[in-house]
Amino acid sequence: MIISQVRLTDANKEAIYQSFNQDKEVVVFDRAYFTNKWISAVNDDFYLILYISSFIVFFALLISYGRIELTLMSFLPMLISWIIIVGIMGLLGIEFNIVNIILSTFIFGIGDDFSIFIMDGLQSKYRTGQKVLNSHKTAIFFSAFTMIVGMGALVFAKHPALQSISMISILGMVAVVLVAYTIQPIFFNFFIARPAAKGLPPYTLFGMFRSGLFFVMFGLGCLLIGLTILLLLPIPIRKAKKQLFVCLLINRCCRFLLKISSFVKKETMNEMQETFRKPGIIVANHQSYLDIVVLLSLSPKVVMITKKWVWKSPLFGLIIRYIDFYHAGEGYELSVDCLEKKIKQGYCIAVFPEGTRSATGQMKRFHKGAFYLAQKFQLDIIPILFYGHNRVASRKQPFNLRKGIMVTKVLPRIAIGDTRFGTTYQEQAKKISTYMKAEYAGLCAKKENTDNPFFYESLIQNYIYKGPVEEWYIRIKVKMEKNYRLFNELIPPQGQITDIGCGFGMLCYMLAMLSDKRKLLGIDYDEDKIGVARHAWLKNEQTDFVYANALEFNLPESDVFILSDILHYMSYENQELLLKKCIRLLKPNGMIIIRDGNKSDKKKHKVTKFTELLSTRIIRFNKTQEELCFTSEQQVQHIAESCNMNLETIKNDKYTSNTLYLFRKQ
């Protein structure tokens, strides 16, 4: 092989390279040529490189935050900053070259850091109330200021390329800072922080998707029915038949809407097999706009008395006016002639006697209009109860549909001559209201339990956006506890409950949701966990959390003390001291619930010790102040006997030695 070194001029180097192109035995080395080729390749493939690097950044953020929503909020400012930088370069006529590409990528990378700093500040405040956002903003400002001053000095350079680099740097950094200061806080506060501050769950991407799908289908249904009405207008048949066809179409659309709402469990209780074929006055409690969808799905021969805004709605106002719905703005007396015609055609008249939706689900005072109509037309009254609608579509957050149970209970007809509820419509309004409230209370007692998916989703949403470790720990923990079903069954529905070693407060929040007559106090010596528990959207006057050592803290007198998975973090002496302290403060007929590993069950206890080793020594999720010290059933029995307490033992786990001990006063 012959190696030659030849100095080529710019004029003939390309021609010479081409002449050697077919000769495989010749290798040409020219650093300048190949550098130019490399730069051209970078220029040509710049967007491919940008897409790949953006995907890597996005994937890294997703792993770090564990939520697609936070990832999108962090990535969006980077994307907007990049668009602004490219737009500025286009307006100023600055072309992409290798230096500008590297500089733009550098600014993009700084934008990544700024977005992460802002998100960290926002998340810290949301998670525990720690206010570090202002310090992060200060750090970002001085970082950007240093960059602008350093690169801005190039504005005074004589070479135009250096001036363009300076301009891109200054404008790019200003854009990055402004976007980081505004875009993320706006989105984070709107979708997460602001709803939580009002005691409402934060929005999730999946929740917005299912809500959006529901409302899109609702809108399409309204358009379909409206178009059908327009097509029916010129057809020469009786209007009553056309109205019935439209009502049948509404009935099928409402059924379809409920069917596609697979995230909601739906149940209909109709013991008397009511068909609504015989006209009557339907009286129902009002919790949500979903009440209307469910009512219209029961039968095509139902018309409603609505509010004026519904009557004039641009989306469905035409439909309800065509099928002779009536708005009660001018009083029920004036509706007699209009409604009499519908009754003769076999329609039931539906009325919400509360007049407005109940935000809490509790039934309000009944107005008398529905009962006046029943006596005026000599019609039976058909009471219907709705449960869970206010939770699936809350009045305070109507466009955020949530998981839950929707129950429709059709009560037996109240015949027009039935005097059990009085003889005048005024008496009927009061007595039927009392009757329906009692039935509703019974329905709530059956459905307010841990099997209701609303409570599980609410508990999980209480901890999302606070870190992937906490979120997945809580998801797994709550599932393993079967939504705390056993605790809810053991603990009375009212009274003072003190949870010692509450951790993040999941049990306290679940017990509080299942009964508003319980007052919960959670105590833990892990300050971070207490911070997370305190700063939650479920937090209200019913729940309180304290960072303290239970042995030193002034515990309140309680109906129930809970010591779940906490005793083995103390020495035997301290365990006995804490239990005796709780016994002294236990109210009459009170109970102490203890759950801990039973070291007497040697085979299963190995699994318990291994799980605690993972959480305290390897993952370090749980903090310890002393050596782990598991007790035994015999030791617990000894304490119970010495304190004159009755003891009941329940095996709590199939795989571990966890055991429930119930202390009750003799």
Side-chain angles (χ1 to χ4, degrees), residues 260-506:
I260 64 170
S261 304
S262 57
F263 53 90
V264 179
K265 291 184 178 181
K266 293 165 283 288
E267 183 180 347
T268 301
M269 304 167 69
N270 189 358
E271 294 181 4
M272 304 304 293
Q273 300 298 311
E274 175 63 58
T275 62
F276 304 98
R277 291 177 182 173
K278 180 183 176 182
I281 301 295
I282 297 174
V283 174
N285 60 316
H286 199 13
Q287 297 184 337
S288 165
Y289 56 79
L290 294 175
D291 305 341
I292 299 172
V293 177
V294 175
L295 266 179
L296 296 179
S297 72
L298 295 175
S299 170
K301 283 208 164 186
V302 174
V303 295
M304 302 182 65
I305 295 180
T306 66
K307 289 190 174 182
K308 194 170 184 179
W309 74 265
V310 179
W311 179 267
K312 293 188 174 183
S313 168
L315 183 60
F316 43 78
L318 168 67
I319 300 170
I320 65 174
R321 289 195 297 271
Y322 182 79
I323 59 177
D324 291 338
F325 276 33
Y326 185 81
H327 76 84
E330 298 177 356
Y332 284 88
E333 295 81 1
L334 299 178
S335 68
V336 171
D337 293 337
C338 176
L339 295 177
E340 186 175 18
K341 181 176 67 173
K342 304 304 294 185
I343 292 167
K344 288 179 179 179
Q345 294 172 359
Y347 286 86
C348 291
I349 310 299
V351 183
F352 296 117
E354 294 169 277
T356 185
R357 291 171 290 171
S358 170
T360 62
Q362 297 301 314
M363 294 173 64
K364 300 179 179 179
R365 183 180 67 88
F366 279 12
H367 297 287
K368 303 177 183 66
F371 309 96
Y372 165 80
L373 293 176
Q375 289 208 351
K376 179 69 178 178
F377 296 118
Q378 291 295 290
L379 293 175
D380 298 342
I381 294 174
I382 310 171
I384 295 180
L385 293 175
F386 294 127
Y387 168 84
H389 294 197
N390 61 305
R391 288 174 171 156
V392 174
S394 167
R395 181 178 180 178
K396 295 180 180 179
Q397 210 174 27
F399 300 108
N400 184 21
L401 298 182
R402 301 164 64 190
K403 291 183 179 180
I405 296 176
M406 288 171 46
V407 180
T408 303
K409 185 173 183 179
V410 183
L411 300 174
R413 278 181 179 246
I414 300 174
I416 187 60
D418 192 339
T419 58
R420 292 176 301 161
F421 300 97
T423 55
T424 66
Y425 70 86
Q426 292 93 340
E427 290 177 325
Q428 285 186 334
K430 292 180 180 178
K431 292 186 177 181
I432 291 177
S433 171
T434 303
Y435 163 63
M436 291 181 67
K437 286 175 181 176
E439 290 288 333
Y440 181 74
L443 186 59
C444 290
K446 291 180 180 179
K447 300 302 177 182
E448 302 279 281
N449 56 55
T450 54
D451 293 329
N452 190 329
F454 169 80
F455 297 111
Y456 172 75
E457 186 185 56
S458 296
L459 190 61
I460 297 304
Q461 287 183 331
N462 202 45
Y463 298 96
I464 61 175
Y465 305 127
K466 298 195 174 189
V469 176
E470 286 91 339
E471 180 179 341
W472 283 102
Y473 165 77
I474 286 159
R475 286 183 183 274
I476 296 169
K477 178 73 172 174
V478 175
K479 283 292 185 184
M480 289 176 63
E481 298 282 358
K482 298 179 181 178
N483 299 352
Y484 297 106
R485 179 185 301 155
L486 182 58
F487 284 93
N488 183 56
E489 292 172 352
L490 291 171
I491 295 171
Q494 60 185 6
Q496 173 67 51
I497 294 97
T498 302
D499 184 5
I500 299 174
C502 66
F504 292 112
M506 301 92 71

Side-chain angles (χ1 to χ4, degrees), residues 38-50:
W38 176 75
I39 292 172
S40 299
V42 171
N43 273 315
D44 296 339
D45 297 334
F46 173 67
Y47 285 104
L48 175 62
I49 297 170
L50 178 64

